[in-house]
Amino acid sequence: MFREFKHHVAWTDAMKSGDGYTGLIGYQRKYGDGSAYILWVYGPNFAGESDAELSAEKMLKQIIDINYFEQVIYDDGVML
């Protein structure tokens, strides 16, 4: 899944973690050559890669903005 915000583009992925998989959200500025950032979607150790990515998709849907300063803002007001 990909999502565009005013200043950033974000995407989901999954990777092997121990005996299972974990979901990931990556994001990077749309313009320029800035770093890419990764958010780990902590939860149960998913048995399948698709379940891990689905958990990341659900979390990405809850993000309302990634602002100019790389702060991730969720729909409940929490800011990372």
Side-chain angles (χ1 to χ4, degrees):
M1 170 182 196
F2 288 90
R3 275 192 70 196
E4 286 195 45
F5 299 93
K6 184 176 180 180
H7 301 285
H8 292 80
V9 61
W11 62 92
T12 58
D13 202 352
M15 68 177 272
K16 187 80 171 145
S17 176
D19 293 338
Y21 293 86
T22 189
L24 304 170
I25 297 173
Y27 62 97
Q28 185 172 25
R29 284 190 180 275
K30 285 183 181 178
Y31 309 106
D33 58 350
S35 300
Y37 298 91
I38 302 295
L39 300 174
W40 293 74
V41 182
Y42 286 107
N45 192 18
F46 294 99
E49 187 175 359
S50 61
D51 289 336
E53 186 161 2
L54 181 60
S55 72
E57 288 177 9
K58 288 179 182 179
M59 186 179 229
L60 181 54
K61 288 178 183 177
Q62 295 176 4
I63 295 173
I64 59 169
D65 194 21
I66 303 173
N67 68 21
Y68 180 80
F69 303 103
E70 272 85 31
Q71 294 170 313
V72 178
I73 305 166
Y74 288 89
D75 58 4
D76 62 359
V78 172
M79 185 182 321
L80 301 178

